Amino acid sequence: QLCHDFASESRQLLRPKALKAIAEAKEKGQIYVVSASIDNWVAPFFQNVLVLGTQIGVRNGRLTGKFLTPNCYGEEKVNRVKAVLKQPREHYYIVAFGDSRGDKELLTYADEAHFKPFRA
């Protein structure tokens, strides 16, 4: 609930150009937000978008402090995308946007890559 509350109170953190690109891309196909951030924190910002992020342990409603998955950074971002693709890679045209070093491998994996396209 804290993550949902934070997202609803913090929409200003999202870049308007990024939100526009996501809205336009939704008309063309499936959207994934692939982030090294904790998925519980990121997912409430995006409706009807699959968030592939770092997963953390929760026991009895409390964070355990342990990752359930490898940190979703670098090559791990590519691994997460590959894991959700239902057909062989050649059946997809992947467009990726990134703004950090952790996006390099995903941008290389994509058919079309955009680095830092949302900065003002």
Side-chain angles (χ1 to χ4, degrees), residues 9-11 13 19 21 29 31 38 43 45 47-48 51 66 71 74-75 81-82 85 92 95 97 103 113 117 120:
E9 296 166 5
S10 305
R11 300 290 299 165
L13 295 175
L19 293 175
I31 303 296
I38 305 302
F45 281 96
Q47 301 300 317
N48 302 313
V51 173
K66 298 183 184 198
N71 188 14
E75 191 62 32
V81 170
K82 287 179 178 178
L85 299 180
Y92 299 92
V95 179
F97 295 86
D103 299 318

Side-chain angles (χ1 to χ4, degrees), residues 78-86:
V78 175
N79 294 340
R80 301 291 178 87
V81 170
K82 287 179 178 178
V84 297
L85 299 180
K86 300 198 183 333

